[in-house]
Amino acid sequence: MNKRQLYYQVLNFGMIVSSALMIWKGLMVITGSESPIVVVLSGSMEPAFHRGDLLFLTNRVEDPIRVGEIVVFRIEGREIPIVHRVLKIHEKQNGHIKFLTKGDNNAVDDRGLYKQGQHWLEKKDVVGRARGFVPYIGIVTILMNDYPKFKYAVLFLLGLFVLVHRE
Amino acid sequence: MREPHDSAARPPRTPNRRGVRAARPPNPHSPGSACSCRRRRCLPTGPEGKNVEDFTGPRERSDLGFITFDITADLENIFDWNVKQLFLYLSAEYSTKNNALNQVVLWDKIVLRGDNPKLLLKDMKTKYFFFDDGNGLKGNRNVTLTLSWNVVPNAGILPLVTGSGHVSVPFPDTYEITKSY
């Protein structure tokens, strides 16, 4: 393979990566959520969602938070978001809302999970509301996290494929 | 579940009867379509209220409501090839001086595909404590109970549907202090 073809392949690869990023950013804009697709990591919402299911989120300001909705939220100081259902809401006249959540498969509500002294969640803690879901597909992400060797193998194969593939 | 501070026995179940009967809905699959429910409600003798400290939350005394209810529902038409389970929940919605809108889930149930779709529940106690954020339950005449459900598909959209039958429940003007629940 000569230099020209190599540059061409590299540019192709760069285009694929940029397109993927643009699609992701586009999704962030459309859904209003900073993380429009999340993977369920725990079994606290079984039997509805299991570890490895993919959730599609929206976080539009016009959609008010109501009980029964499945929200993905982040607790202050923790980076891993949690997927649970809204159990109680109290909304003031000015639109300020505070709410409590609970996992379907948990016996008690989430107050024990919140920050010390925090009794309610607020809109700013919400990453998004679950609007759709696809089972099993997210297992790949979990595997890549738990087994870094697997992640390197996947990336290596991808790189190999891109470089070797002929247009 | 943690016990409320008032360790005296709780008031008896003065039943607030409420029946929601789901007739055959015209189109159960589109999200937001409520089934046409025929309300069957006996004379309510009224729910009860107490004012206790919520140990699980902010340590102020707030109103705690006790309601018992009946539910009659036929969920058969909601289940189709793509429905894995239904998450049913009974929620109370009301407004108080403190908050313009309050919604509290009182009871929920997961109905898996294959379970008996006809529900006939009587004299049910609430699964979760009905605490208000403040003292807004006493004398509140307009607490609306609604049955809703979240359809969980095998894959696809997760719609939240509200049943069309809802019941308004008035709370008494005084707190109950003596009887047992």
Side-chain angles (χ1 to χ4, degrees), chain B residues 18-23 37-40 69-75 117-122 147:
Chain B
R18 165 215 197 258
V20 169
R21 189 190 171 88
C37 294
R38 230 183 308 133
R39 243 178 293 161
R40 184 168 40 87
F69 53 92
D70 301 345
I71 293 185
T72 315
D74 182 1
L75 308 167
K118 303 200 194 318
L119 289 183
L120 199 67
L121 305 164
K122 298 228 174 285
L147 187 68

Side-chain angles (χ1 to χ4, degrees), chain A residues 5-70:
Chain A
Q5 277 175 316
L6 180 63
Y7 289 148
Y8 187 71
Q9 295 290 52
V10 168
L11 274 174
N12 247 347
F13 180 65
M15 233 179 64
I16 295 174
V17 171
S18 321
S19 309
L21 241 93
M22 273 177 62
I23 293 177
W24 183 249
K25 291 287 176 189
L27 268 179
M28 278 173 65
V29 169
I30 295 174
T31 62
S33 164
E34 59 182 58
S35 188
I37 304 181
V38 293
V39 177
V40 176
L41 294 174
S42 74
S44 57
M45 283 294 280
E46 288 184 11
F49 308 130
H50 298 90
R51 237 171 87 88
D53 290 345
L54 218 61
L55 288 177
F56 297 93
L57 312 179
T58 66
N59 196 19
R60 303 215 184 85
V61 185
E62 322 86 71
D63 282 336
I65 299 177
R66 294 288 175 254
V67 289
E69 292 189 336
I70 301 171

Side-chain angles (χ1 to χ4, degrees), chain B residues 25-37:
Chain B
N27 181 9
H29 308 308
S30 62
S33 76
C35 57
S36 55
C37 294

Side-chain angles (χ1 to χ4, degrees), chain A residues 74-79 115:
Chain A
R74 209 176 260 129
I75 299 176
E76 264 175 79
R78 313 238 190 102
E79 53 165 74
K115 206 172 69 154

